[in-house]
Structures are given as structure tokens and as C-alpha cells.
Amino acid sequence: MRPELGILRAEFGADQVLDGEAALPFERDWRGRATGAQAGRAMAVLCPRSVDEVQAMVRAAARLHLALVPQGGNTGLVLGGTPDASGAELVLSLKRLNRIRRIDPINATLTAEAGCVLQTLQQACAAQQLLLPLSLAAEGQCTLGGNLATNAGGTQVLRWGNARDLCLGLEVVTADGLLWSDLDGLRKDHRGLNLRDLFIGSEGVLGLITAAVMKLAPLPRSRLSAWLTLPSLEAALQLLPQARAALGDGLSGFEVMGQAAQLLLPELPLPAAPWALLVEVSSHRDEAQTRAELEAWLAPALDAGRMLDAVVAHTEAQAHALWALRESIPGAQTRAGGNLKHDIALPLDRIAAFVADCEARIQRAFPGARPTVFGHLGDGNLHFNVAPPVGQSLAEFQPHEAALNRLVFDCVADWGGSFSAEHGIGRLRAAELAARGDAVGLDLMGRIKQALDPANRLNPGRVLASGSDGNRADA
Ligand SMILES: Cc1cc2nc3c(=O)[nH]c(=O)nc-3n(C[C@H](O)[C@H](O)[C@H](O)COP(=O)(O)OP(=O)(O)OC[C@H]3O[C@@H](n4cnc5c(N)ncnc54)[C@H](O)[C@@H]3O)c2cc1C
């Protein structure tokens, strides 16, 4: 046993300093990307039960010159919250910080600790007729702290924005163990630089989020979903401004699926078409009025041939079934043998041209490779995943990953987009950021990191590749 482990156990107790079997779930990433010699291995997993304990653990790690990897629900997809293979990093799990501190119906805010599971928070708010408008397929496991650390997006960004847009304040433990608290829930507050926005989306490299205040909205009275099939991606994009005009603020979801993505799904509500859309409308009108509005938008578009077909869910259960289909795409891809993944964003007016161009480039470079495209079209965010040619396994295709990524990300850059839309940078895309990021922007990020975490103790090597030497933080 490493001596540091004994020191940590003596200070915090064995129950809060896990290793061996107990540490395994915290060491594995969701997609199982880090395997073999690269498999994550932590020196220990620290599990504080209070903010005081988080501070004490951060100070202990500093005394022992150890790196800390903050972790929430461990659903991140870019190797940001799991330890590297060195066996020298400490994971600091925020999961036991899971108290809802307050739901305030007058201010329409929720104050909750970082380890609260998103779905638990949604349910607690719904019980008070309030909506926490953040929703993603991992909501049964991801945590509020992780959502804010990654500035999570999901399926309702079109209407409500990212996690950042919903957050009014944070409580953060800094790299030197101090507590910064800004949980007043004020909607107007201009006392100097906005530190909240600095920590949101910083993926644990600047501080540990321990609690947050989130904006809430009234629970919608009606929610309707429709599955539409379309002849082209261009046609789907043409529908977006029309939907906005017809449905106004009620338009809360606009998800797209290419044909390959639809074919992965067991029970399609309509036969697979070149493209399909899952549209959601959430409204404060009653269901009959909302349905009338939705149908008033759909009927002329169908008559004019702008869409091939449309199905509107008639019950809440049917709507859930449509969304369950959409959310089952990632699992279905895995069962179909897996693919190489890209989480990208494009300007909406160029997205169709980008997809055509990128698919053509892929066919030239990797004949037979099969793009599976789906995502949050209303936000310009595509999951652009590429499966191996028929007859080739993912393991056989994997050696092409670097070349394929270069091709896809070059094409994204050519069309004015981003190689990282909502999943973040972590370790997976840190080299990409170093190579493709704006030089001045990268320099500013480095200076901010240096100012807040000069010993490079928090999540070294994540986001900013320069600190990628694991926990040799004080060197
Ligand atoms: C099936 C599935 C669907 C998904 N869909 C979406 C989607 O639609 N939109 C989307 O944006 N993401 C999506 N994700 C990615 C992931 O769920 C989100 O990034 C989520 O916000 C991560 O939360 P978490 O608690 O699991 O964080 P973790 O995975 O534990 O950590 C993620 C990052 O945040 C840091 N971190 C975690 N907690 C804290 C904290 N309290 N303080 C400081 N840093 C911290 C970690 O170090 C790490 O860098 C999906 C993932 C899965 C598996």
C-alpha cells in the first residue's frame, strides 16, 4: 500500500478512501474506451460527505502532492472524470454530496449539491409543479455538478439553453481548498468579473463545484411529440424556422436522425426515410390547443410535400416511447458493433452541405465506411459517427481512427464548425484542442489555469494538454 493511502485513511477513515474492488466503478469510463495498458487506475477514490470534507481532502492532496480528478455520475464521454493509467491520481467523487438544499417557488430556483442525480432533481421539482429544463439520456446517472462542469446540453437546449443558461450561482472549492460561495440566486448581480461562468464548462480543471442554484420554469400543461420523415436534411432545416414561427417558445425539441440511425431502431413509428425528425412542443396551453397548433403547422407542410409523413403521439406513453427510441440510438450503435464518434457543431445554414461533403470525403478515403448521423438539429449539434464497412469489425477499423478524426474535423473546420459541441474536451480531445484551438484563446486558458491552480493539481492533462503528465503536478 502506498504510504499516502495510509495517511488519507488515517485522516478520513476507510469508508471515505476506497481502493481495489470498491474503486473499480470510478475507474472505468462509460464507453470503456480506456482499456488494457490504458485502463484507468486510481491510487484511491475519495468520497467526501460534506463541503468541509471536500475542502479538507483538497488540502490533504496538496500536502501529499497528489492530483485530483473530480467525478460526478461518471457518464462523461471524453475521459475527463476517470483516472489515467498511472495509478497515481486520486478520484474525488462528489456523489455523496446529494442534498437538495432548497426549492424556492417564489424565486423559481433550485439550490442543490453537486452530487444530486439530474433525474432526482427533475422529479423533486416536478412534485412542486416546477420544471428543471435540462434533459439528457444519461439523466438517471449524471449529476448536477457534472452537468455544470461540462456545460451539458441535451434535448431541450433549443428552448432553454445549455446548463450555463440555467445556472444563477455556484459554490466552488478552489484548488487551494478555499470556499467561494455565490448561491444568492440573484437574477441581476454585477459585482465584478463573472466567476460563475468561468467554472461552468471548465471540466474540473479550475475548481470543484459543490452546489449550484438553477433556474426553474412552470411545469408545462401539455407536451406533444411528433415523428416526421423527410426527403432530405435540407428539408428538415427548412422546417425549423417554420416550426419556430408556428409554435413560438413552445418548440422544445428538434432531433434529427439519418437513415442509418433509424435502421438501428427496432420499432420505428414510420418506415425509415432519408431523414427523420422528432419534434417536441411544450406548452402552457391545454393539450387540445397545443395539438391544434401542432397540426396546423404539420398539415400544410405535408400537403406541400415538405415532409413525407408524420405521426403525432396521442398519449403521454406514446410520446415517451418516441423519446425512448431516440435515446436508444447510442446503445443500439454499440450492439450493432460500435463506431468511431464525433460530437460536432455547425452553423445551421451550412449543416446540410457539411454532411454531404463529409460523407463524400469519407467514401473517398475509407470506401464502405458507414456514417450514422443523428443529433440535436435545432442546436446545430450532430453526433457524426462512422461505422466500419460491412464485414469489418470495429477493432479492425480502429487503426484508422486518427486519420478519420482528422478528415472529419478538417471538414468541420472548413464549414466553420466546432469539433467539440457538448461532450467537452477531457483527455480524449485535449490534443485536438492544442492543435486546432485559437492561439490567443489557448494562451488565455493557460493563464487562467495557472492563476487558479498553479500546481496543476486539478484534472491535469484534461482540456489543456500542456499539463498532461498525470499527477506530477508540482514538478
Ligand atoms: C447515454 C449518454 C447520453 C448523453 N447525452 C448527452 C447530451 O445529450 N448532452 C450532453 O451535453 N452530454 C451528454 N452526455 C455526456 C454526459 O452525460 C454529460 O457530460 C454529463 O453532464 C456529465 O455528468 P456527470 O455527473 O456524469 O459527470 P462526470 O462524467 O463524472 O464528469 C464529467 C467532467 O466533469 C468533471 N466534474 C464532474 N463533477 C464535477 C464537479 N462537481 N466539480 C468540478 N468538476 C466536475 C469531471 O472531472 C469531468 O471532467 C451523455 C452521456 C451518456 C452516457
Side-chain angles (χ1 to χ4, degrees), residues 161-249:
N162 293 313
R164 179 191 304 283
D165 300 299
L166 299 171
C167 182
L168 287 175
L170 291 180
E171 180 186 83
V172 172
V173 172
T174 65
D176 40 8
L178 298 175
L179 187 68
W180 172 65
S181 182
D182 176 31
L183 296 178
D184 300 324
L186 302 177
R187 281 156 208 269
K188 292 187 178 174
D189 178 19
H190 193 147
R191 288 173 283 181
L193 301 184
N194 190 325
L195 299 176
R196 175 195 65 204
D197 279 356
L198 195 56
F199 289 111
I200 294 175
S202 66
E203 298 185 51
V205 306
L206 300 181
L208 291 129
I209 297 169
T210 51
V213 188
M214 304 295 286
K215 289 186 219 168
L216 304 175
L219 210 56
R221 281 176 73 197
S222 55
R223 238 182 218 187
L224 289 176
S225 297
W227 189 281
L228 322 177
T229 52
L230 297 127
S232 65
L233 184 54
E234 192 54 53
L237 285 160
Q238 294 302 328
L239 285 179
L240 183 57
Q242 295 162 11
R244 280 200 207 102
L247 305 165
D249 264 2

Side-chain angles (χ1 to χ4, degrees), residues 30 70 72-76 80 142-143 146-147 149-150 152-154 203-204 207 209 422 459:
W30 179 278
N74 195 11
T75 67
C142 64
T143 62
N147 299 148
T150 57
E203 298 185 51
I209 297 169
E422 62 174 5
N459 253 353

Side-chain angles (χ1 to χ4, degrees), residues 226-243 254-260 262 270-279 297-298 301-302 304-311 377:
W227 189 281
L228 322 177
T229 52
L230 297 127
S232 65
L233 184 54
E234 192 54 53
L237 285 160
Q238 294 302 328
L239 285 179
L240 183 57
Q242 295 162 11
F254 205 80
E255 299 288 304
V256 77
M257 286 147 279
Q259 193 153 22
Q262 295 165 61
L270 290 169
W275 291 89
L277 277 176
L278 179 56
V279 176
W297 166 60
L298 291 175
L302 266 171
R306 291 197 294 272
M307 59 182 81
L308 302 173
D309 209 344
V311 166
L377 186 64

Side-chain angles (χ1 to χ4, degrees), residues 106-127:
I106 294 179
N107 202 32
T109 48
L110 159 80
T111 308
E113 293 181 344
C116 292
V117 170
L118 176 59
Q119 195 172 60
T120 309
L121 296 176
Q122 292 166 343
Q123 287 166 352
C125 296

